[in-house]
Amino acid sequence: MTKRRGERPPVPETLPAPVVDAHTHLDACGAETPEQVREILDRAAQAGVDRVITVADDLKSAHWAAEAATWDDRVFAAVALHPTRTSTFGEAEQTELAKLAERPRVVAIGETGLDYYWDYAPKSAQHEAFRWHIDLAKRVGKALMIHDRDAHDDILDVLDTEGAPSTVVFHCFSGDLSFARACVERGFVLSFAGAVTFRNAQALREAARWVPEDHILVETDAPFLTPHPYRGRPNEPYCANYTLRDLATLRDVDPADLASKITRTAERTFGLRDVAES
């Protein structure tokens, strides 16, 4: 059993239409080199996951993600300091992130937001960093990718007070139907990870069933949150296939149709076509 939990899930049958993994961590999946990135993306392609956004959580990861996005045309990047890492967030870090954010294959500022589950950074530091990232997203004209853990009301309050960027994505959306409605009313996009497939996540599944088709994305957050029925095993971008199929069943729609609509939303949200053509 222990050995099995350490094994990756099988690569599933290819999706009938390709989809984008809107949030993954290729470095945390074990990738360091261009060859290792390509191996992960080739597995994803077998499952019909044709592009990924690899997301940073600290400055070292941000540099790596921005560089990795130049190694393979299927990879894009998001850069930020994760809210749990903001206890020391000064001018030097801000200068570096602002430079990275200007790179063409960096398509989002994230993940940033608030995390009240862990106490690694004071709330005051998290709020200050969140506001700075909101401003950065506005300055560079790129999507803001939100990390929200046990902080729904405060996240919305900060966004309302500061003025949200034109594009906001709630990564690994974890709210209920009421919170989903509040987000969609503001024009935000909700990205669902493997947790939405968990059979004990009924409030989350109810929200995912309701979200309008042009406000929904799918992600892995790999190597975390491996979808049902492989919960607890290592996650990779190809596992977005499992989440997509589960969402299609939950919403009673054709997987090909849902994949196509999610792909269009991902392309619009992150400007993927514009980047590819530049």
Side-chain angles (χ1 to χ4, degrees):
M1 183 66 170
T2 301
K3 180 180 178 182
R4 186 182 178 201
R5 285 182 63 84
E7 295 176 351
R8 290 191 301 266
V11 177
E13 180 182 352
T14 308
L15 289 167
V19 76
V20 177
D21 179 357
H23 187 114
T24 191
H25 301 273
L26 294 179
D27 50 347
C29 289
E32 297 180 359
T33 66
E35 293 74 23
Q36 291 168 328
V37 167
R38 185 167 58 250
E39 289 174 6
I40 291 174
L41 268 292
D42 286 347
R43 275 194 292 274
Q46 292 177 42
V49 180
D50 69 344
R51 286 164 291 179
V52 308
I53 298 170
T54 190
V55 181
D57 64 357
D58 61 17
L59 200 54
K60 179 181 178 182
S61 178
H63 279 281
W64 185 90
E67 187 64 21
T70 70
W71 295 342
D72 193 302
D73 288 343
R74 299 169 291 182
V75 180
F76 302 87
V79 300
L81 229 63
H82 192 282
T84 60
R85 300 179 183 273
T86 55
S87 56
T88 55
F89 183 53
E91 185 175 344
E93 291 84 0
Q94 293 170 6
T95 299
E96 286 298 305
L97 285 173
K99 289 179 182 178
L100 292 172
E102 294 283 359
R103 294 195 184 187
R105 295 191 67 83
V106 172
V107 297
I109 306 305
E111 56 190 282
T112 180
L114 302 173
D115 189 314
Y116 292 170
Y117 181 82
W118 301 107
D119 60 358
Y120 298 133
K123 289 183 179 180
S124 58
Q126 292 188 44
H127 278 251
E128 183 177 351
F130 186 24
R131 289 192 294 269
W132 183 87
H133 283 94
I134 291 171
D135 180 66
L136 177 61
K138 293 177 183 177
R139 282 187 275 135
V140 297
K142 296 180 180 180
L144 183 73
M145 187 179 284
I146 300 290
H147 171 98
D148 165 23
R149 191 160 188 190
D150 295 349
H152 299 336
D153 292 341
D154 283 3
I155 290 274
L156 291 185
D157 182 61
V158 173
L159 288 169
D160 289 345
T161 301
E162 296 297 315
S166 58
T167 305
V168 174
V169 179
F170 271 73
H171 132 71
C172 192
F173 183 79
S174 59
D176 58 12
L177 178 57
S178 176
F179 187 61
R181 290 184 187 277
C183 290
V184 171
E185 285 172 1
R186 290 166 169 81
F188 302 159
V189 178
L190 311 185
S191 185
F192 291 91
V196 77
T197 72
F198 299 167
R199 296 316 191 243
N200 62 347
Q202 289 306 311
L204 178 59
R205 288 173 65 78
E206 181 184 18
R209 186 182 293 111
W210 170 83
V211 175
E213 61 188 20
D214 57 344
H215 285 263
I216 189 170
L217 293 173
V218 67
E219 64 171 82
T220 56
D221 198 22
F224 317 105
L225 296 176
T226 310
H228 176 84
Y230 301 104
R231 186 176 183 178
R233 293 169 67 174
N235 201 3
E236 265 196 15
Y238 70 82
C239 292
N241 177 308
Y242 290 113
T243 302
L244 183 285
R245 291 183 185 278
D246 194 87
L247 279 170
T249 299
L250 179 66
R251 294 166 66 90
D252 193 25
V253 296
D254 179 67
D257 185 54
L258 181 60
S260 296
K261 288 173 178 173
I262 285 177
T263 292
R264 287 196 293 272
T265 298
E267 290 175 344
R268 181 187 75 246
T269 298
F270 301 112
L272 301 185
R273 285 189 178 275
D274 294 338
V275 174
E277 292 170 0
S278 63

